[in-house]
């Protein structure tokens, strides 16, 4: 158990819908990262927040957005969902903005 | 653009048969190289961080090494419970915002047969 929690574990929704994934970092960690893992693309970095501020961005689609709240939990919002958005979404956290990242158990999203 | 290539894609070993996994990388300003283990449907589990060429780290049957262009994960006398996908990632800094990002390889799927 890494100490990073993610909810929900599974999510099934339809195309065009919007969902919110939630992540609570390890106690004391200030950075939160979001990754997408699909069968054909491996683990892809989406975005990093450090103490509420966006610090790094990967190939995150405009339909996706994230934020980190004052209590340091983070949410990833996915809108106008497409079939291709079906994937495992992982959250990771680290103490600062460059230390080892510890991953949560993931949210499996299925878009039908 | 940062790139990480892992080989082989899949590796099947007999219990006790030692071997090595390779991770070659190109990154501007390497901040660190990370090894993770991932079981099916689970989140990656941290194994090692290497920061400079020549550095080595060990944990049980695993040993990670780093050169300027590649890293190796050596598995000595593996057991069936070592079966998993092993992921390599490089960390690069985003200087303008003091951020960081990991770029992952596709992984090596290891199967250890009893």
């Amino acid at each position: 158990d890494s100490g990073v929690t993610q909810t929900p574990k599974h999510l099934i929704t339809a195309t065009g819908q919007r969902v919110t994934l939630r992540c609570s970092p390890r106690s004391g960690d200030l950075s939160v990262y979001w990754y997408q893992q699909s069968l054909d693309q491996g683990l892809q970095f989406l975005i990093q927040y450090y103490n509420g501020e966006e610090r790094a961005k990967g190939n995150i689609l405009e339909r996706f957005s994230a934020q980190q709240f004052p209590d340091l939990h983070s949410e990833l919002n996915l809108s106008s969902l497409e079939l291709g958005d079906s994937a495992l979404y992982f959250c990771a956290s680290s103490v600062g903005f460059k230390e080892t990242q510890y991953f949560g158990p993931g949210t499996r999203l299925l878009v039908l | 653009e940062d790139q990480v290539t892992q080989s082989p894609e899949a590796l099947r070993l007999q219990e006790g048969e030692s071997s090595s996994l390779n991770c070659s990388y190109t990154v501007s300003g390497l901040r660190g190289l990370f090894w993770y283990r991932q079981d099916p449907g689970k989140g990656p589990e941290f194994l090692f961080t290497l920061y400079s060429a020549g550095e080595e780290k060990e944990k049980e049957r695993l040993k990670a090494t780093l050169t300027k262009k590649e890293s190796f994960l050596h598995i000595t006398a593996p057991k069936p419970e070592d079966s998993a996908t092993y992921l390599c990632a490089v960390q690069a800094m985003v200087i303008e915002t003091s951020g960081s990002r990991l770029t992952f390889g596709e992984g090596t799927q290891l199967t250890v047969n009893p």
Side-chain angles (χ1 to χ4, degrees), chain B residues 4-9 22-24 35 86-88 105-108:
Chain B
V4 179
T5 303
Q6 292 188 245
S7 62
E9 288 184 14
N22 177 263
C23 169
S24 60
W35 283 97
Y86 290 85
L87 298 167
C88 169
E106 294 291 319
T108 293

Side-chain angles (χ1 to χ4, degrees), chain A residues 33 35 37 41 43 45 48 55-57 90 97-98 100-101 103-105 108, chain B residues 31 34 36 38 42-44 46 49 91 94 97-102 104 106:
Chain A
Y33 310 78
Y35 292 85
Q37 187 174 41
Q41 287 209 327
L43 259 171
F45 169 72
Q48 177 203 10
R55 288 297 183 99
K57 217 167 183 178
F90 290 106
F97 46 79
K98 55 185 180 180
T100 296
Q101 297 177 29
F103 283 75
R108 183 177 294 276
Chain B
R31 184 64 185 84
F34 299 79
Y36 288 86
Q38 187 175 27
K42 303 282 183 68
F46 170 71
T49 308
Q91 182 183 47
V94 180
T97 59
S98 298
S100 69
R101 53 187 292 166
L102 289 182
F104 280 85
E106 294 291 319

Side-chain angles (χ1 to χ4, degrees), chain B residues 18-52:
Chain B
S18 301
S19 187
S20 295
L21 313 182
N22 177 263
C23 169
S24 60
Y25 63 90
T26 55
V27 61
S28 53
L30 178 70
R31 184 64 185 84
L33 185 138
F34 299 79
W35 283 97
Y36 288 86
R37 168 196 169 125
Q38 187 175 27
D39 294 302
K42 303 282 183 68
E45 175 189 341
F46 170 71
L47 294 174
F48 303 108
T49 308
L50 302 167
Y51 291 107
S52 55

Side-chain angles (χ1 to χ4, degrees), chain B residues 75-96:
Chain B
I75 303 177
T76 302
K79 298 182 178 182
E81 53 262 42
D82 294 322
S83 298
T85 296
Y86 290 85
L87 298 167
C88 169
V90 295
Q91 182 183 47
M93 299 302 297
V94 180
I95 304 299
E96 299 80 15

Side-chain angles (χ1 to χ4, degrees), chain A residues 7 10 21 23 26 30-31 34 36 59 61 72-73 77 85 89 93-94 97-98 102-103 106:
Chain A
T7 56
H10 303 277
L21 313 184
C23 168
R26 297 185 317 158
L30 297 179
S31 270
W34 286 97
Q36 179 192 56
N59 294 326
L61 299 172
L72 301 177
H73 91 271
N77 299 297
D85 297 327
Y89 290 84
S93 73
S94 66
F97 46 79
K98 55 185 180 180
Y102 294 88
F103 283 75

Side-chain angles (χ1 to χ4, degrees), chain B residues 40-80:
Chain B
K42 303 282 183 68
E45 175 189 341
F46 170 71
L47 294 174
F48 303 108
T49 308
L50 302 167
Y51 291 107
S52 55
E55 190 174 358
E56 298 182 351
K57 288 198 177 166
E58 285 188 67
K59 178 182 177 180
E60 296 180 359
R61 296 177 292 282
L62 300 177
K63 178 180 175 181
T65 62
L66 181 65
T67 72
K68 287 186 178 180
K69 292 185 178 181
E70 56 191 351
S71 177
F72 293 93
L73 184 65
H74 308 277
I75 303 177
T76 302
K79 298 182 178 182

